Amino acid sequence: MAYFYFDFRDIDKQNRRDLLSSLVTQLSDQSHRHCDILYNLYVIHGWGAQKPSEDELIECLKDMLTLPDQQPVYLIIDALDECPDTSGLPSPREQVLDLLKALVEISSPNLRLCVTSRPEIDILRALDPLTSFDVSLHEQSGQKRDIIEYVTSVVQSDLKMRRWRDEDKNLVIETLSERADGM
């Protein structure tokens, strides 16, 4: 298993290269066969003196994922919506979506992909034809209830907020819960 969390606050967690580097490193740490594949890439690039290209990292990952006779490999990619969808062709998010498509297209019977994201239009359009199973928690009553309960517990337990008028506490709970957008 390997995972990656996109984070809009961390510049090192916002693009395909960071995703690839993280995944191949994590996988190589868990298997001698995966480690050998990464080691070969390391040697080819002057024992680490040069950085491999993104295309070479993609091939390295594909090689790891298509090894024969291996246990299932789970790749978890969290918060894809936090990968920037900025101007530029292609955007960092488009590059990640292209990578996900390429990984699905290798048709490895041992690959299991789990991608989480808010329902952004570009992400939905790109992933919809690739998915065999999807779960949407957006706009679910249970999710909304969890957010309301969390915000309420914070407001009720904060020492400074305890002194607020009930009307003000309720306004904060209502406003934050409505504007949380599922987060």
Side-chain angles (χ1 to χ4, degrees):
M1 180 188 80
Y3 65 91
F4 187 82
Y5 175 75
F6 284 98
D7 186 346
F8 72 93
R9 295 168 293 184
D10 187 344
I11 194 74
D12 294 329
K13 293 189 174 195
Q14 294 183 359
N15 61 57
R16 182 173 65 180
R17 182 176 199 80
D18 298 329
L19 168 66
L20 288 164
S21 298
S22 179
L23 295 178
V24 299
T25 300
Q26 289 177 67
L27 291 175
S28 70
D29 192 39
Q30 299 172 38
S31 159
H32 293 296
R33 294 168 66 196
H34 291 155
C35 186
D36 290 343
I37 292 169
L38 184 58
Y39 179 75
N40 289 337
L41 185 64
Y42 175 76
V43 171
I44 290 169
H45 288 84
W47 301 92
Q50 306 152 343
K51 285 186 177 182
S53 69
E54 283 188 34
D55 288 339
E56 290 169 314
L57 287 170
I58 291 169
E59 289 308 310
C60 179
L61 179 59
K62 285 180 178 181
D63 289 346
M64 289 178 178
L65 297 174
T66 57
L67 283 171
D69 303 322
Q70 73 173 326
Q71 296 294 316
V73 175
Y74 294 85
L75 299 182
I76 301 168
I77 299 165
D78 193 11
L80 178 56
D81 56 289
E82 294 196 25
C83 181
D85 189 24
T86 56
S87 60
L89 299 172
S91 72
R93 187 184 296 172
E94 288 172 321
Q95 290 177 333
V96 171
L97 290 168
D98 288 344
L99 171 64
L100 293 174
K101 182 180 179 190
L103 294 178
V104 169
E105 288 175 347
I106 63 174
S107 299
S108 172
N110 298 317
L111 176 59
R112 311 292 190 267
L113 275 171
C114 177
V115 179
T116 69
S117 173
R118 284 183 287 177
E120 302 285 332
I121 295 296
D122 62 318
I123 294 172
L124 291 172
R125 282 188 185 141
L127 294 183
D128 188 50
L130 305 177
T131 58
S132 57
F133 185 73
D134 67 80
V135 176
S136 175
L137 299 178
H138 200 70
E139 299 297 328
Q140 297 295 316
S141 62
Q143 179 188 32
K144 289 180 180 180
R145 187 174 51 254
D146 288 347
I147 292 169
I148 291 168
E149 288 175 9
Y150 174 75
V151 172
T152 301
S153 72
V154 171
V155 168
Q156 300 298 344
S157 64
D158 185 274
L159 295 176
K160 292 180 183 177
M161 288 187 213
R162 279 188 192 170
R163 294 180 282 193
W164 291 6
R165 297 179 313 156
D166 286 339
E167 301 85 42
D168 294 335
K169 289 185 218 178
N170 290 336
L171 179 62
V172 167
I173 292 167
E174 184 179 317
T175 303
L176 289 177
S177 298
E178 285 177 11
R179 295 184 183 175
D181 192 29
M183 298 299 288

